[in-house]
Amino acid sequence: MKEPGSKLSLVKIMLFSLACITIFVAVALICGLLTSWIPGIALRIAVREVVLRAPLTIMALHFFATKVIRNYHPDQIYGKVKFRSLSKWAAFAFILPVATGISYYLLALIIPIHHSAPLGTDKKISLLITWVSLSIAAGLTEEVLFRGHLFMIFAARYSKVTAVVIASLIFGLVHITMLTAFSVADILTVIAGGSVAGLMFALIYLYSKVIWYAAVVHVVWDIFFIGKITAIAATQAEANQIIFPFRLT
């Protein structure tokens, strides 16, 4: 058994990293199958993401790190949550995207789009539940994976700075799967944006030493920028499926 804190070989780093990502994807697929029978998209996604995927992913990665990697204990990742600090990071989490959105609006970089067809209350509630659920699961699981386990794996061989850069770059790369168009510009934009966001979350984690604070910021960030609650629309048809749509000028 490898002693905690000992240096991992490059081969083990690659294998352990790949295994963690595989666990992450496998749990998501299994949870999708387990909830496929639930009627209603919003309810199905809420159960799948919040009730099943988030806790099962965290537990599976914890088990793998404890029983297989053994180079660190997962408790090192989580940290101790303090209500006052949590409140501060929650406030920061909301201020950051709101300030970004207001700045873009005041600089006339974005303008709101009016719906050409009414977006009913039921549809709005469904979109809200769906994207809040997806954001909660993404924020929790991705922080535990990228800023948690992958960071600890890379830090077992490299400096913290290098570990952060590698984990953030991988975080940016995996977001290519979200693309619907694969031009060079689209790919580079997603990688750069994802890597910068990953770096921001990593700095929060390194500063606070509590993964859940980074997760809170990540959750709120995704609610504002990833889903269909507030979003940039390229077409009117797309805008009609977003609660608060904007377009870039």
Side-chain angles (χ1 to χ4, degrees):
M1 175 174 139
K2 190 166 283 292
E3 292 296 325
S6 59
K7 193 172 183 179
L8 288 177
S9 67
L10 181 58
V11 172
K12 285 189 175 181
I13 285 177
M14 294 174 66
L15 290 175
F16 288 156
S17 299
L18 183 59
C20 286
I21 294 172
T22 301
I23 289 170
F24 183 90
V25 174
V27 172
L29 293 174
I30 292 170
C31 290
L33 293 173
L34 291 175
T35 56
S36 60
W37 60 273
I38 298 177
I41 295 175
L43 177 61
R44 181 165 65 248
I45 290 176
V47 173
R48 185 189 73 198
E49 298 296 314
V50 179
V51 178
L52 291 180
R53 189 168 80 89
L56 290 178
T57 300
I58 294 169
M59 288 189 289
L61 290 171
H62 182 104
F63 181 83
F64 181 74
T66 303
K67 300 299 182 181
V68 180
I69 300 178
R70 300 183 183 182
N71 189 263
Y72 60 90
H73 196 280
D75 287 346
Q76 294 176 255
I77 295 171
Y78 310 135
K80 186 177 181 181
V81 175
K82 296 180 179 179
F83 179 76
R84 186 174 180 180
S85 297
L86 181 62
S87 300
K88 289 180 179 179
W89 284 112
F92 172 78
F94 279 95
I95 290 170
L96 183 65
V98 169
T100 302
I102 291 174
S103 298
Y104 271 58
Y105 181 77
L106 293 177
L107 292 170
L109 297 175
I110 59 172
I111 58 174
I113 305 176
H114 298 290
H115 295 115
S116 61
L119 194 63
T121 301
D122 290 346
K123 180 65 173 180
K124 289 180 180 178
I125 293 173
S126 178
L127 286 172
L128 185 64
I129 293 172
T130 295
W131 289 103
V132 168
S133 298
L134 288 167
S135 298
I136 289 173
L140 292 172
T141 60
E142 289 176 11
E143 288 311 302
V144 170
L145 173 62
F146 291 98
R147 260 61 66 183
H149 293 281
L150 291 186
F151 170 76
M152 294 296 287
I153 291 170
F154 297 136
R157 181 178 179 87
Y158 306 108
S159 68
K160 286 185 177 181
V161 173
T162 302
V164 164
V165 171
I166 296 174
S168 298
L169 181 59
I170 295 175
F171 182 70
L173 287 168
V174 298
H175 281 77
I176 293 175
T177 57
M178 296 175 60
L179 287 174
T180 55
F182 294 91
S183 68
V184 174
D186 289 332
I187 292 172
L188 292 178
T189 299
V190 166
I191 293 174
S195 298
V196 170
L199 179 60
M200 176 181 69
F201 300 140
L203 292 175
I204 293 171
Y205 173 51
L206 290 177
Y207 175 79
S208 67
K209 296 181 174 61
V210 180
I211 200 72
W212 310 120
Y213 299 157
V216 166
V217 177
H218 191 156
V219 168
V220 178
W221 184 268
D222 278 7
I223 288 173
F224 276 92
F225 291 116
I226 301 300
K228 291 188 177 181
I229 299 174
T230 58
I232 302 297
T235 64
Q236 183 64 55
E238 187 179 356
N240 289 340
Q241 299 301 313
I242 300 169
I243 298 177
F244 300 108
F246 295 86
R247 73 174 177 87
L248 289 169
T249 59

